Amino acid sequence: MSRRRGMMSESFKYELAKDLGFYETVKEEGWGAIRSRDAGNMVKRAIELAELQLAKQNNRS
């Protein structure tokens, strides 16, 4: 079974981890060490940022 390619770039994931306060865990132990709640919060924040970006683009049109 092949692994699916991620939707977020590694640099964006690290940026979110820093913003949400679990970057040190990722840096020391890898992505598998974060809590499910942290992963969910990361996805939620990524969606919020994408929605903001879309709203900005729509306002320019």
Side-chain angles (χ1 to χ4, degrees):
M1 178 192 236
S2 67
R3 287 186 61 119
R4 225 174 75 164
R5 197 180 87 144
M7 298 298 290
M8 290 188 268
S9 70
E10 284 297 309
S11 61
F12 184 56
K13 289 193 296 189
Y14 283 112
E15 182 181 324
L16 290 173
K18 287 176 186 175
D19 290 344
L20 296 171
F22 54 89
Y23 173 74
E24 289 300 319
T25 300
V26 172
K27 188 172 89 172
E28 293 172 8
E29 302 175 43
W31 289 106
I34 66 172
R35 299 178 306 172
S36 296
R37 179 176 294 201
D38 291 333
N41 287 338
M42 189 170 79
V43 171
K44 182 179 176 182
R45 183 65 180 142
I47 291 169
E48 289 171 351
L49 291 172
E51 288 174 341
L52 285 171
Q53 187 67 28
L54 283 173
K56 285 181 185 178
Q57 288 177 358
N58 287 337
N59 286 337
R60 290 183 198 161
S61 308

